[in-house]
Amino acid sequence: MKAPRLISKTKNILLGILTTMMIFPFTSCARKVIFLSSSVVPAAQGYVKVKRDNNKNYVIQINISNLAEVSRLQTSKQTYVVWMTTDQEKTKNIGQLTSSTGFLSKQLKASFKTISSSRPTKIFITAENDGTAQYPDGQFVLSTEFF
């Protein structure tokens, strides 16, 4: 009687381990990097997710909460610009943050998604007067560490 119960428990444990091993590769494909604390916008919190797609491009997704309106910064600017440092140590403007306030919420949220053929090693956000700037010239608002 004890042997069949032991075999049944062993099968359940092995099934659980096998399931975990099969799920792990799918969840480890995306890399999530948290933004460092900001002295410009101390309440801002967010993260960057980077993963590779089927075409071997990098999908970059950013989500930020508690981000102050760009016009309310110490030195008023027009837009938040997202920059990427590539694996070739080049800095590229990859776009502007889209911000919105949630319904019945005073929390300002911002999101951004893009695709790049270059591998990002660092993401940072600046406040700029021109969203098409070729080089960062404004205040550094948020930044990740190198990843």
Side-chain angles (χ1 to χ4, degrees):
M1 282 269 187
K2 290 184 180 182
R5 275 194 246 164
L6 183 62
I7 292 172
S8 178
K9 286 182 181 181
T10 305
K11 283 183 181 179
N12 287 341
I13 291 171
L14 290 175
L15 183 62
I17 291 171
L18 181 64
T19 303
T20 304
M21 290 176 63
M22 290 177 64
I23 292 173
F24 180 71
F26 296 113
T27 59
S28 65
C29 293
R31 181 173 215 173
K32 186 175 178 179
V33 182
I34 306 278
F35 279 108
L36 301 172
S37 297
S38 170
S39 61
V40 177
V41 186
Q45 297 177 339
Y47 62 88
V48 178
K49 276 189 181 178
V50 178
K51 67 178 183 176
R52 291 199 69 171
D53 65 8
N54 294 337
N55 295 323
K56 305 221 187 246
N57 291 320
Y58 294 89
V59 179
I60 302 165
Q61 183 174 356
I62 298 174
N63 289 305
I64 302 172
S65 60
N66 300 321
L67 185 64
E69 293 179 29
V70 72
S71 60
R72 292 182 167 241
L73 295 177
Q74 185 77 20
T75 53
S76 180
K77 298 291 183 175
Q78 298 296 315
T79 187
Y80 287 114
V81 177
V82 181
W83 302 87
M84 171 179 82
T85 303
T86 67
D87 54 349
Q88 292 97 21
E89 297 183 15
K90 294 181 183 177
T91 301
K92 291 173 50 175
N93 177 340
I94 56 174
Q96 298 178 45
L97 280 179
T98 305
S99 61
S100 63
T101 53
F103 182 65
L104 297 177
S105 172
K106 293 183 179 180
Q107 185 179 43
L108 189 60
K109 297 180 181 181
S111 61
F112 177 81
K113 187 173 182 179
T114 191
I115 297 173
S116 174
S117 59
S118 301
R119 184 174 72 85
T121 57
K122 183 178 183 175
I123 303 288
F124 60 96
I125 299 169
T126 61
E128 302 284 346
N129 284 323
D130 181 15
T132 61
Q134 296 298 310
Y135 301 100
D137 188 36
Q139 279 184 311
F140 281 78
V141 178
L142 288 169
S143 176
T144 65
E145 292 181 340
F146 284 96
F147 52 91

